[in-house]
Amino acid sequence: MESNDIHRLFQPLDAVALTEIVLILAGAFALITAQQRLLPWAAQRLHGRYRHVVLASVPLLRLVILGVALILVVPVAIEPSWQNMTALLGATGLALGFALKDYISSLIAGVVSAFERPYRPGDWVEIDGIYGEVVHVGMRSVVLVTPDDDSVTIPHLKLWNAPVKNANNGSPLLQCSAVFNVHPDHDARRAREALEDVALTSPYLQMRAPVAVVVRELDWGTQYRIRAYPVDPRQQFRFTSDLTVRGREALRQMGAQALLPPAEVPVLRGASVTGRRA
């Protein structure tokens, strides 16, 4: 759009038109200021769900007031002809296209996720370093609840450039692991059998899934890793805690001395969730 076309888009503003625009903007500012003070004040006197509903309405109401003010100002500043409105809507659409390109990309990724199904409700996934249970898959984003009970909304846009680690991938089986690092001077056979007994006697163990104790001999010591499955994926943290506490006690009773791995060795201490299907 050339400069002459832009000048023709706006109609001459006299004192009456300027006064009208100022009054509209001042009224919108006053309403926004009032609702930002009154609604939180009213919410503090409510309890439970109603308080959150009132607080959540503050930004929505502000957006409505700004939208109404814009609708009232545009006919005053711009001659409401078909040609002018077409040019205005075209320019607005172009600006929105640039502003909302990430949003549109998330919507497209949401369509892709509906077919590829990298995650679904009930899955335990890690996306961009955030681990949690999928509780909702929308058109634009996926909602995770972390082990700390935080609700995290992640846009589907992450599918384009971040790996998605799915711990159970639609299955009720989720593999957990508990890691133990001990001094190499001990009876490895007895240690392995003791850790197998720890896993098999856990009240959280899924008996139909396999149990394995993996042994690695490293430069600085011996590492044992129990790999097993809880009855329900939501029990994974109780399960790994149970394995860790009773596993350390079993190794201590047989005389195996616990070791801390060197700082440069990327080995997890205690319990961890590995997340693999059977």
Side-chain angles (χ1 to χ4, degrees), residues 161-180:
N161 50 29
V164 177
K165 299 180 182 179
N166 197 319
N168 56 327
N169 198 26
S171 167
L173 297 179
L174 183 149
Q175 186 185 98
C176 301
S177 69
V179 181
F180 307 90

Side-chain angles (χ1 to χ4, degrees), residues 179-222:
V179 181
F180 307 90
N181 303 303
V182 297
H183 192 279
D185 185 15
H186 67 280
D187 189 336
R189 180 175 297 178
R190 284 184 56 202
R192 183 177 180 181
E193 292 176 352
L195 292 178
E196 285 181 350
D197 290 340
V198 167
L200 293 173
T201 54
S202 174
Y204 304 103
L205 178 68
Q206 172 58 262
M207 300 299 297
R208 294 178 297 175
V211 174
V213 177
V214 181
V215 185
R216 295 180 62 197
E217 197 65 35
L218 305 173
D219 294 338
W220 47 268
T222 304

Side-chain angles (χ1 to χ4, degrees), residues 50-67:
Y50 298 104
R51 175 176 179 271
H52 293 285
V53 170
V54 173
L55 289 176
S57 66
V58 173
L60 179 60
L61 186 57
R62 180 174 63 244
L63 184 62
V64 171
I65 294 173
L66 289 175

Side-chain angles (χ1 to χ4, degrees), residues 229-266:
Y229 299 80
V231 175
D232 187 276
R234 294 185 178 182
Q235 297 175 335
Q236 57 187 283
F237 303 105
R238 295 181 181 180
F239 184 44
T240 51
S241 298
D242 178 65
L243 294 180
T244 300
V245 171
R246 295 194 302 112
R248 291 184 62 180
E249 179 63 20
L251 293 174
R252 187 189 65 81
Q253 289 182 358
M254 61 167 290
Q257 181 183 356
L259 286 180
L260 293 178
E264 66 273 10
V265 179

